Amino acid sequence: MLRIAEFAPAKINLCLHVTGQRQDGYHLLETIVAFADIGDRVDVETAAEDNFSLAGPFARDLEAGHDNIVLRARDSLRDAFPEKARPVSIRLEKNLPVASGIGGGSSDAAACLRALRALWKIPDDADVADIALELGADVPMCMAGRPLIARGIGETITLLPSVAPLPIVLANPLIGVSTPEIFSRLSSRTNSGIQMIPPIGRFDRLIDFLKGLRNDLEIPACAITPEIETVRQALQDTGASLARMSGSGATCFGLYPSPKDAQSAASRLQTRFPRWYVAAGQCIGSQKATGKSMQ
């Protein structure tokens, strides 16, 4: 049997500006996104019949029914290429907290699309962009899997050619947040966008640039869930060069000058807050954070 494994990296919103709202209710965003070497894993292999299983520390928070975004990704790709699709066994190893502002579900769907594309030998020039967007606004950027700026509802993507590698710590209090409620609490939906991006190939230049940006969802999220500010401040107290909420929360990230600094900060946080999810890693620079293995 042919088996393919795809890494599904955490998607980190280094900033997130809300710049408008469409008539259909979707918010317009401008966001700089990076991908960490912390994430989930999707394994696919040929099988006599379809099968889906869950594993990992956060598997208990997901359901294995047809509403799971990984299965929707499988079915959408199968519908688009019925002559290529065959029964498949899929295993999702869920290492990231669910609904936590780091694109776990979207990244899982993107990893599934990449893996099945390889398993089913769908040509490289076959366009799956529409499939990705139909699955969710974050899925196209997760398909790219490298530093980028996304605009619109997330479908307009520009890859960033040179971004410094970023040692990072992710922390989440394991408290659920409601994204619709956070958006409903925005004081303004027509905020300024991201201006011209300077050279950010060096860590210090990137941090200086990011400090001038923001996450417009952080204030309303903290008003609803004050623990988010506790997490952000705890990261700042460990010496993070920048600490900010990712996406709509509740995950916050801290950026550090070196991997050693990040690992030290994560250890201190795990000791101080043993009930939190804490992980140290690195946001990959201009290289992809994703990769596949075949057996």
Side-chain angles (χ1 to χ4, degrees), residues 90-196:
I90 302 175
R91 178 180 182 272
L92 170 60
E93 182 182 296
K94 194 64 187 168
N95 302 313
L96 298 175
V98 175
S100 59
I102 48 178
S106 297
S107 193
D108 294 342
C112 182
L113 290 176
R114 290 193 300 269
L116 290 179
R117 185 171 190 160
L119 186 73
W120 289 339
K121 295 181 171 58
I122 295 171
D124 290 340
D125 59 357
D127 190 3
V128 298
D130 289 343
I131 295 174
L133 185 58
E134 287 175 3
L135 289 167
D138 284 353
V139 179
M141 65 184 82
C142 291
M143 288 290 288
R146 63 184 71 186
L148 56 85
I149 180 168
R151 295 181 173 89
I153 62 170
E155 83 286 7
T156 303
I157 292 171
T158 303
L159 298 178
L160 297 176
S162 179
V163 179
L166 291 172
I168 190 170
V169 173
L170 302 180
N172 185 298
L174 298 180
I175 295 174
V177 296
S178 169
T179 299
E181 184 178 3
I182 290 170
F183 273 100
S184 73
R185 297 276 194 102
L186 280 168
S187 59
S188 172
R189 290 172 174 77
T190 55
N191 304 299
S192 61
I194 300 168
Q195 304 304 312
M196 183 180 299

Side-chain angles (χ1 to χ4, degrees), residues 72-85 113 120 122-123 126-132 134:
R72 291 196 285 117
R74 177 202 65 188
D75 295 343
S76 295
L77 195 63
R78 174 175 283 155
D79 290 344
F81 300 95
E83 73 285 357
K84 298 283 187 181
L113 290 176
W120 289 339
I122 295 171
D127 190 3
V128 298
D130 289 343
I131 295 174
E134 287 175 3

Side-chain angles (χ1 to χ4, degrees), residues 41-42 52-55 62 70 90-94 108:
R41 173 179 162 133
V42 176
F52 180 54
S53 61
L54 295 165
L62 288 177
V70 169
I90 302 175
R91 178 180 182 272
L92 170 60
E93 182 182 296
K94 194 64 187 168
D108 294 342

